[in-house]
Amino acid sequence: MSDPERAMLLSVHPRFATAILAGTKTVEVRRQRVAAPPGTPVLLYATAPTMAIVGMAQIASVQVATPVRSGRPAALVPGSLVASTTST
């Protein structure tokens, strides 16, 4: 990454933030393509009721896929993050 001061803020439910930090969740799927290269630091923001930055991870890779149709709009998955956790 060319700018060491730049990080990505990722908002997730508290249970997912905990799982990412524990290393049991290593893939985060997003509808929008992630415009951050591998190695980018990710600040994990846990939504309500926690409402705080709870830790930090790093993007290991970004994989982009074409939308998948299963009859539901929620099934459209253009991209995903594969993260490795780091301690804060």
Side-chain angles (χ1 to χ4, degrees):
M1 185 170 140
S2 61
D3 186 359
E5 299 297 318
R6 191 172 181 128
M8 181 177 151
L9 180 65
L10 186 65
S11 178
V12 294
H13 290 284
R15 68 178 185 204
F16 298 133
T18 300
I20 290 169
L21 293 172
T24 56
K25 180 174 177 29
T26 59
V27 175
E28 174 64 24
V29 177
R30 294 283 157 161
R31 288 185 185 191
Q32 293 291 323
R33 184 177 185 274
V34 175
T40 300
V42 178
L43 298 172
L44 294 172
Y45 174 80
T47 59
T50 306
M51 298 188 295
I53 294 175
V54 295
M56 190 170 182
Q58 186 176 35
I59 297 176
S61 68
V62 176
Q63 300 172 1
V64 179
T66 57
V68 178
R69 294 196 184 267
S70 71
R72 300 180 318 182
L76 299 178
V77 183
S80 63
L81 295 174
V82 179
S84 60
T85 59
T86 57
S87 57
T88 57

